[in-house]
PDB file of all heavy atoms in Angstrom:
ATOM      1  N   THR T  12     132.845  70.249 -75.947  1.00 98.00           N
ATOM      2  CA  THR T  12     132.013  71.180 -75.179  1.00 98.00           C
ATOM      3  C   THR T  12     130.757  70.503 -74.668  1.00 98.00           C
ATOM      4  O   THR T  12     130.343  70.707 -73.519  1.00 98.00           O
ATOM      5  CB  THR T  12     131.644  72.391 -76.049  1.00 98.00           C
ATOM      6  OG1 THR T  12     132.837  73.028 -76.524  1.00 98.00           O
ATOM      7  CG2 THR T  12     130.832  73.404 -75.241  1.00 98.00           C
ATOM      8  N   ARG T  13     130.141  69.671 -75.492  1.00 98.00           N
ATOM      9  CA  ARG T  13     128.913  68.998 -75.061  1.00 98.00           C
ATOM     10  C   ARG T  13     129.191  67.939 -73.993  1.00 98.00           C
ATOM     11  O   ARG T  13     128.367  67.714 -73.108  1.00 98.00           O
ATOM     12  CB  ARG T  13     128.184  68.406 -76.264  1.00 98.00           C
ATOM     13  CG  ARG T  13     127.581  69.497 -77.143  1.00 98.00           C
ATOM     14  CD  ARG T  13     126.752  68.966 -78.293  1.00 98.00           C
ATOM     15  NE  ARG T  13     126.161  70.077 -79.032  1.00 98.00           N
ATOM     16  CZ  ARG T  13     125.024  70.684 -78.703  1.00 98.00           C
ATOM     17  NH1 ARG T  13     124.345  70.269 -77.646  1.00 98.00           N
ATOM     18  NH2 ARG T  13     124.562  71.684 -79.423  1.00 98.00           N
ATOM     19  N   VAL T  14     130.333  67.294 -74.067  1.00 98.00           N
ATOM     20  CA  VAL T  14     130.723  66.381 -72.981  1.00 98.00           C
ATOM     21  C   VAL T  14     130.914  67.171 -71.690  1.00 98.00           C
ATOM     22  O   VAL T  14     130.455  66.756 -70.612  1.00 98.00           O
ATOM     23  CB  VAL T  14     132.008  65.614 -73.348  1.00 98.00           C
ATOM     24  CG1 VAL T  14     132.527  64.822 -72.143  1.00 98.00           C
ATOM     25  CG2 VAL T  14     131.747  64.664 -74.518  1.00 98.00           C
ATOM     26  N   LEU T  15     131.561  68.326 -71.787  1.00 98.00           N
ATOM     27  CA  LEU T  15     131.756  69.179 -70.616  1.00 98.00           C
ATOM     28  C   LEU T  15     130.420  69.662 -70.063  1.00 98.00           C
ATOM     29  O   LEU T  15     130.206  69.680 -68.836  1.00 98.00           O
ATOM     30  CB  LEU T  15     132.636  70.374 -70.981  1.00 98.00           C
ATOM     31  CG  LEU T  15     132.840  71.431 -69.887  1.00 98.00           C
ATOM     32  CD1 LEU T  15     133.499  70.822 -68.651  1.00 98.00           C
ATOM     33  CD2 LEU T  15     133.664  72.599 -70.419  1.00 98.00           C
ATOM     34  N   MET T  16     129.507  70.042 -70.941  1.00 98.00           N
ATOM     35  CA  MET T  16     128.182  70.496 -70.494  1.00 98.00           C
ATOM     36  C   MET T  16     127.473  69.405 -69.695  1.00 98.00           C
ATOM     37  O   MET T  16     126.870  69.672 -68.643  1.00 98.00           O
ATOM     38  CB  MET T  16     127.344  70.899 -71.707  1.00 98.00           C
ATOM     39  CG  MET T  16     127.832  72.155 -72.407  1.00 98.00           C
ATOM     40  SD  MET T  16     127.145  72.350 -74.083  1.00 98.00           S
ATOM     41  CE  MET T  16     125.392  72.538 -73.714  1.00 98.00           C
ATOM     42  N   GLY T  17     127.552  68.172 -70.178  1.00 98.00           N
ATOM     43  CA  GLY T  17     126.935  67.060 -69.459  1.00 98.00           C
ATOM     44  C   GLY T  17     127.580  66.824 -68.106  1.00 98.00           C
ATOM     45  O   GLY T  17     126.903  66.559 -67.109  1.00 98.00           O
ATOM     46  N   ALA T  18     128.923  66.934 -68.064  1.00 98.00           N
ATOM     47  CA  ALA T  18     129.643  66.754 -66.802  1.00 98.00           C
ATOM     48  C   ALA T  18     129.242  67.824 -65.792  1.00 98.00           C
ATOM     49  O   ALA T  18     129.040  67.536 -64.601  1.00 98.00           O
ATOM     50  CB  ALA T  18     131.152  66.795 -67.056  1.00 98.00           C
ATOM     51  N   ILE T  19     129.106  69.062 -66.249  1.00 98.00           N
ATOM     52  CA  ILE T  19     128.711  70.155 -65.356  1.00 98.00           C
ATOM     53  C   ILE T  19     127.282  69.965 -64.877  1.00 98.00           C
ATOM     54  O   ILE T  19     126.972  70.143 -63.689  1.00 98.00           O
ATOM     55  CB  ILE T  19     128.871  71.518 -66.066  1.00 98.00           C
ATOM     56  CG1 ILE T  19     130.343  71.810 -66.334  1.00 98.00           C
ATOM     57  CG2 ILE T  19     128.252  72.634 -65.224  1.00 98.00           C
ATOM     58  CD1 ILE T  19     130.587  73.056 -67.170  1.00 98.00           C
ATOM     59  N   ASP T  20     126.382  69.598 -65.794  1.00 98.00           N
ATOM     60  CA  ASP T  20     124.977  69.429 -65.412  1.00 98.00           C
ATOM     61  C   ASP T  20     124.805  68.328 -64.374  1.00 98.00           C
ATOM     62  O   ASP T  20     123.947  68.431 -63.486  1.00 98.00           O
ATOM     63  CB  ASP T  20     124.133  69.121 -66.653  1.00 98.00           C
ATOM     64  CG  ASP T  20     123.985  70.328 -67.569  1.00 98.00           C
ATOM     65  OD1 ASP T  20     124.340  71.442 -67.141  1.00 98.00           O
ATOM     66  OD2 ASP T  20     123.523  70.156 -68.719  1.00 98.00           O
ATOM     67  N   LEU T  21     125.610  67.267 -64.475  1.00 98.00           N
ATOM     68  CA  LEU T  21     125.515  66.186 -63.492  1.00 98.00           C
ATOM     69  C   LEU T  21     126.066  66.626 -62.141  1.00 98.00           C
ATOM     70  O   LEU T  21     125.405  66.474 -61.109  1.00 98.00           O
ATOM     71  CB  LEU T  21     126.272  64.951 -63.988  1.00 98.00           C
ATOM     72  CG  LEU T  21     126.403  63.800 -62.980  1.00 98.00           C
ATOM     73  CD1 LEU T  21     125.032  63.312 -62.538  1.00 98.00           C
ATOM     74  CD2 LEU T  21     127.218  62.652 -63.571  1.00 98.00           C
ATOM     75  N   ILE T  22     127.256  67.180 -62.126  1.00 98.00           N
ATOM     76  CA  ILE T  22     127.914  67.475 -60.848  1.00 98.00           C
ATOM     77  C   ILE T  22     127.223  68.626 -60.111  1.00 98.00           C
ATOM     78  O   ILE T  22     127.327  68.732 -58.885  1.00 98.00           O
ATOM     79  CB  ILE T  22     129.407  67.779 -61.081  1.00 98.00           C
ATOM     80  CG1 ILE T  22     130.219  67.494 -59.813  1.00 98.00           C
ATOM     81  CG2 ILE T  22     129.629  69.208 -61.553  1.00 98.00           C
ATOM     82  CD1 ILE T  22     131.722  67.466 -60.035  1.00 98.00           C
ATOM     83  N   SER T  23     126.494  69.476 -60.834  1.00 98.00           N
ATOM     84  CA  SER T  23     125.804  70.598 -60.194  1.00 98.00           C
ATOM     85  C   SER T  23     124.333  70.303 -59.925  1.00 98.00           C
ATOM     86  O   SER T  23     123.606  71.178 -59.439  1.00 98.00           O
ATOM     87  CB  SER T  23     125.921  71.854 -61.070  1.00 98.00           C
ATOM     88  OG  SER T  23     125.343  71.636 -62.348  1.00 98.00           O
ATOM     89  N   ALA T  24     123.906  69.065 -60.206  1.00 98.00           N
ATOM     90  CA  ALA T  24     122.497  68.708 -60.014  1.00 98.00           C
ATOM     91  C   ALA T  24     122.120  68.736 -58.535  1.00 98.00           C
ATOM     92  O   ALA T  24     122.928  68.407 -57.663  1.00 98.00           O
ATOM     93  CB  ALA T  24     122.225  67.322 -60.598  1.00 98.00           C
ATOM     94  N   VAL T  25     120.882  69.124 -58.262  1.00 98.00           N
ATOM     95  CA  VAL T  25     120.295  69.044 -56.921  1.00 98.00           C
ATOM     96  C   VAL T  25     119.114  68.091 -57.018  1.00 98.00           C
ATOM     97  O   VAL T  25     118.245  68.260 -57.883  1.00 98.00           O
ATOM     98  CB  VAL T  25     119.839  70.425 -56.423  1.00 98.00           C
ATOM     99  CG1 VAL T  25     119.156  70.298 -55.061  1.00 98.00           C
ATOM    100  CG2 VAL T  25     121.019  71.383 -56.342  1.00 98.00           C
ATOM    101  N   PHE T  26     119.061  67.083 -56.148  1.00 97.00           N
ATOM    102  CA  PHE T  26     118.058  66.041 -56.288  1.00 97.00           C
ATOM    103  C   PHE T  26     117.603  65.555 -54.915  1.00 97.00           C
ATOM    104  O   PHE T  26     118.379  65.570 -53.953  1.00 97.00           O
ATOM    105  CB  PHE T  26     118.618  64.863 -57.102  1.00 97.00           C
ATOM    106  CG  PHE T  26     119.928  64.331 -56.600  1.00 97.00           C
ATOM    107  CD1 PHE T  26     119.972  63.257 -55.715  1.00 97.00           C
ATOM    108  CD2 PHE T  26     121.126  64.901 -57.011  1.00 97.00           C
ATOM    109  CE1 PHE T  26     121.181  62.772 -55.250  1.00 97.00           C
ATOM    110  CE2 PHE T  26     122.351  64.419 -56.542  1.00 97.00           C
ATOM    111  CZ  PHE T  26     122.370  63.347 -55.664  1.00 97.00           C
ATOM    112  N   PRO T  27     116.347  65.116 -54.799  1.00 96.00           N
ATOM    113  CA  PRO T  27     115.849  64.618 -53.502  1.00 96.00           C
ATOM    114  C   PRO T  27     116.445  63.269 -53.153  1.00 96.00           C
ATOM    115  O   PRO T  27     116.912  62.522 -54.022  1.00 96.00           O
ATOM    116  CB  PRO T  27     114.339  64.529 -53.723  1.00 96.00           C
ATOM    117  CG  PRO T  27     114.165  64.417 -55.190  1.00 96.00           C
ATOM    118  CD  PRO T  27     115.294  65.172 -55.821  1.00 96.00           C
ATOM    119  N   GLU T  28     116.403  62.938 -51.889  1.00 95.00           N
ATOM    120  CA  GLU T  28     117.047  61.723 -51.373  1.00 95.00           C
ATOM    121  C   GLU T  28     116.485  60.442 -51.967  1.00 95.00           C
ATOM    122  O   GLU T  28     117.148  59.407 -51.959  1.00 95.00           O
ATOM    123  CB  GLU T  28     116.921  61.674 -49.855  1.00 95.00           C
ATOM    124  CG  GLU T  28     115.489  61.708 -49.353  1.00 95.00           C
ATOM    125  CD  GLU T  28     115.393  61.854 -47.846  1.00 95.00           C
ATOM    126  OE1 GLU T  28     116.415  61.643 -47.166  1.00 95.00           O
ATOM    127  OE2 GLU T  28     114.314  62.178 -47.341  1.00 95.00           O
ATOM    128  N   LYS T  29     115.274  60.469 -52.502  1.00 94.00           N
ATOM    129  CA  LYS T  29     114.658  59.274 -53.069  1.00 94.00           C
ATOM    130  C   LYS T  29     115.106  58.995 -54.500  1.00 94.00           C
ATOM    131  O   LYS T  29     114.797  57.948 -55.055  1.00 94.00           O
ATOM    132  CB  LYS T  29     113.133  59.390 -53.012  1.00 94.00           C
ATOM    133  CG  LYS T  29     112.563  59.357 -51.600  1.00 94.00           C
ATOM    134  CD  LYS T  29     111.050  59.369 -51.603  1.00 94.00           C
ATOM    135  CE  LYS T  29     110.495  59.296 -50.181  1.00 94.00           C
ATOM    136  NZ  LYS T  29     109.009  59.309 -50.167  1.00 94.00           N
ATOM    137  N   VAL T  30     115.809  59.925 -55.103  1.00 95.00           N
ATOM    138  CA  VAL T  30     116.322  59.729 -56.458  1.00 95.00           C
ATOM    139  C   VAL T  30     117.501  58.762 -56.416  1.00 95.00           C
ATOM    140  O   VAL T  30     118.396  58.886 -55.570  1.00 95.00           O
ATOM    141  CB  VAL T  30     116.743  61.074 -57.081  1.00 95.00           C
ATOM    142  CG1 VAL T  30     117.559  60.857 -58.346  1.00 95.00           C
ATOM    143  CG2 VAL T  30     115.509  61.915 -57.392  1.00 95.00           C
ATOM    144  N   LYS T  31     117.528  57.802 -57.331  1.00 95.00           N
ATOM    145  CA  LYS T  31     118.596  56.804 -57.365  1.00 95.00           C
ATOM    146  C   LYS T  31     119.693  57.213 -58.342  1.00 95.00           C
ATOM    147  O   LYS T  31     119.504  58.075 -59.204  1.00 95.00           O
ATOM    148  CB  LYS T  31     118.026  55.437 -57.745  1.00 95.00           C
ATOM    149  CG  LYS T  31     117.076  54.870 -56.701  1.00 95.00           C
ATOM    150  CD  LYS T  31     116.605  53.479 -57.094  1.00 95.00           C
ATOM    151  CE  LYS T  31     115.706  52.878 -56.017  1.00 95.00           C
ATOM    152  NZ  LYS T  31     115.242  51.525 -56.374  1.00 95.00           N
ATOM    153  N   ASP T  32     120.835  56.554 -58.202  1.00 95.00           N
ATOM    154  CA  ASP T  32     121.984  56.881 -59.048  1.00 95.00           C
ATOM    155  C   ASP T  32     121.664  56.776 -60.541  1.00 95.00           C
ATOM    156  O   ASP T  32     122.056  57.631 -61.338  1.00 95.00           O
ATOM    157  CB  ASP T  32     123.194  56.015 -58.683  1.00 95.00           C
ATOM    158  CG  ASP T  32     122.865  54.533 -58.543  1.00 95.00           C
ATOM    159  OD1 ASP T  32     121.762  54.106 -58.940  1.00 95.00           O
ATOM    160  OD2 ASP T  32     123.720  53.785 -58.012  1.00 95.00           O
ATOM    161  N   ILE T  33     120.917  55.743 -60.926  1.00 94.00           N
ATOM    162  CA  ILE T  33     120.622  55.555 -62.350  1.00 94.00           C
ATOM    163  C   ILE T  33     119.733  56.664 -62.904  1.00 94.00           C
ATOM    164  O   ILE T  33     119.737  56.913 -64.118  1.00 94.00           O
ATOM    165  CB  ILE T  33     119.957  54.185 -62.607  1.00 94.00           C
ATOM    166  CG1 ILE T  33     118.667  54.046 -61.798  1.00 94.00           C
ATOM    167  CG2 ILE T  33     120.911  53.053 -62.299  1.00 94.00           C
ATOM    168  CD1 ILE T  33     117.885  52.785 -62.123  1.00 94.00           C
ATOM    169  N   ASP T  34     118.974  57.331 -62.035  1.00 95.00           N
ATOM    170  CA  ASP T  34     118.096  58.400 -62.498  1.00 95.00           C
ATOM    171  C   ASP T  34     118.869  59.638 -62.935  1.00 95.00           C
ATOM    172  O   ASP T  34     118.324  60.495 -63.634  1.00 95.00           O
ATOM    173  CB  ASP T  34     117.111  58.785 -61.387  1.00 95.00           C
ATOM    174  CG  ASP T  34     116.237  57.627 -60.951  1.00 95.00           C
ATOM    175  OD1 ASP T  34     115.827  56.838 -61.829  1.00 95.00           O
ATOM    176  OD2 ASP T  34     115.979  57.484 -59.738  1.00 95.00           O
ATOM    177  N   LEU T  35     120.121  59.754 -62.532  1.00 97.00           N
ATOM    178  CA  LEU T  35     120.922  60.930 -62.854  1.00 97.00           C
ATOM    179  C   LEU T  35     121.699  60.783 -64.156  1.00 97.00           C
ATOM    180  O   LEU T  35     122.227  61.773 -64.678  1.00 97.00           O
ATOM    181  CB  LEU T  35     121.902  61.204 -61.709  1.00 97.00           C
ATOM    182  CG  LEU T  35     121.268  61.474 -60.335  1.00 97.00           C
ATOM    183  CD1 LEU T  35     122.352  61.540 -59.269  1.00 97.00           C
ATOM    184  CD2 LEU T  35     120.458  62.758 -60.360  1.00 97.00           C
ATOM    185  N   ASP T  36     121.777  59.591 -64.682  1.00 97.00           N
ATOM    186  CA  ASP T  36     122.601  59.324 -65.866  1.00 97.00           C
ATOM    187  C   ASP T  36     122.207  60.208 -67.046  1.00 97.00           C
ATOM    188  O   ASP T  36     123.062  60.706 -67.787  1.00 97.00           O
ATOM    189  CB  ASP T  36     122.480  57.843 -66.239  1.00 97.00           C
ATOM    190  CG  ASP T  36     123.333  57.464 -67.430  1.00 97.00           C
ATOM    191  OD1 ASP T  36     124.559  57.350 -67.262  1.00 97.00           O
ATOM    192  OD2 ASP T  36     122.778  57.298 -68.535  1.00 97.00           O
ATOM    193  N   ILE T  37     120.922  60.422 -67.233  1.00 97.00           N
ATOM    194  CA  ILE T  37     120.424  61.167 -68.389  1.00 97.00           C
ATOM    195  C   ILE T  37     120.941  62.601 -68.411  1.00 97.00           C
ATOM    196  O   ILE T  37     121.112  63.196 -69.481  1.00 97.00           O
ATOM    197  CB  ILE T  37     118.870  61.154 -68.389  1.00 97.00           C
ATOM    198  CG1 ILE T  37     118.307  61.739 -69.685  1.00 97.00           C
ATOM    199  CG2 ILE T  37     118.326  61.886 -67.178  1.00 97.00           C
ATOM    200  CD1 ILE T  37     118.579  60.911 -70.899  1.00 97.00           C
ATOM    201  N   LEU T  38     121.224  63.169 -67.233  1.00 98.00           N
ATOM    202  CA  LEU T  38     121.681  64.553 -67.176  1.00 98.00           C
ATOM    203  C   LEU T  38     122.977  64.750 -67.950  1.00 98.00           C
ATOM    204  O   LEU T  38     123.178  65.775 -68.605  1.00 98.00           O
ATOM    205  CB  LEU T  38     121.882  64.986 -65.720  1.00 98.00           C
ATOM    206  CG  LEU T  38     120.637  64.998 -64.832  1.00 98.00           C
ATOM    207  CD1 LEU T  38     121.027  65.360 -63.397  1.00 98.00           C
ATOM    208  CD2 LEU T  38     119.595  65.964 -65.364  1.00 98.00           C
ATOM    209  N   ALA T  39     123.878  63.779 -67.857  1.00 98.00           N
ATOM    210  CA  ALA T  39     125.167  63.893 -68.526  1.00 98.00           C
ATOM    211  C   ALA T  39     125.075  63.640 -70.026  1.00 98.00           C
ATOM    212  O   ALA T  39     125.926  64.099 -70.789  1.00 98.00           O
ATOM    213  CB  ALA T  39     126.168  62.924 -67.900  1.00 98.00           C
ATOM    214  N   ARG T  40     124.057  62.931 -70.458  1.00 98.00           N
ATOM    215  CA  ARG T  40     123.941  62.566 -71.872  1.00 98.00           C
ATOM    216  C   ARG T  40     123.124  63.565 -72.695  1.00 98.00           C
ATOM    217  O   ARG T  40     123.268  63.619 -73.925  1.00 98.00           O
ATOM    218  CB  ARG T  40     123.311  61.173 -72.000  1.00 98.00           C
ATOM    219  CG  ARG T  40     124.142  60.066 -71.369  1.00 98.00           C
ATOM    220  CD  ARG T  40     123.488  58.694 -71.520  1.00 98.00           C
ATOM    221  NE  ARG T  40     124.142  57.710 -70.699  1.00 98.00           N
ATOM    222  CZ  ARG T  40     125.161  56.923 -71.113  1.00 98.00           C
ATOM    223  NH1 ARG T  40     125.610  57.020 -72.339  1.00 98.00           N
ATOM    224  NH2 ARG T  40     125.701  56.047 -70.284  1.00 98.00           N
TER     225      ARG T  40
END
């Protein structure tokens, strides 16, 4: 369930164009 929660939080994230790919990693973890 917690792996799924991280997957959902990442794929549903909204972020500004200046945010880099590595900045999103924490959302899934």
Side-chain angles (χ1 to χ4, degrees):
T12 303
R13 290 185 177 275
V14 172
L15 175 60
M16 291 163 64
I19 293 173
D20 289 348
L21 173 59
I22 205 167
S23 60
V25 177
F26 52 94
E28 58 188 345
K29 292 184 178 180
V30 167
K31 294 183 177 180
D32 47 12
I33 58 174
D34 300 322
L35 300 172
D36 182 75
I37 188 67
L38 297 176
R40 298 180 191 268

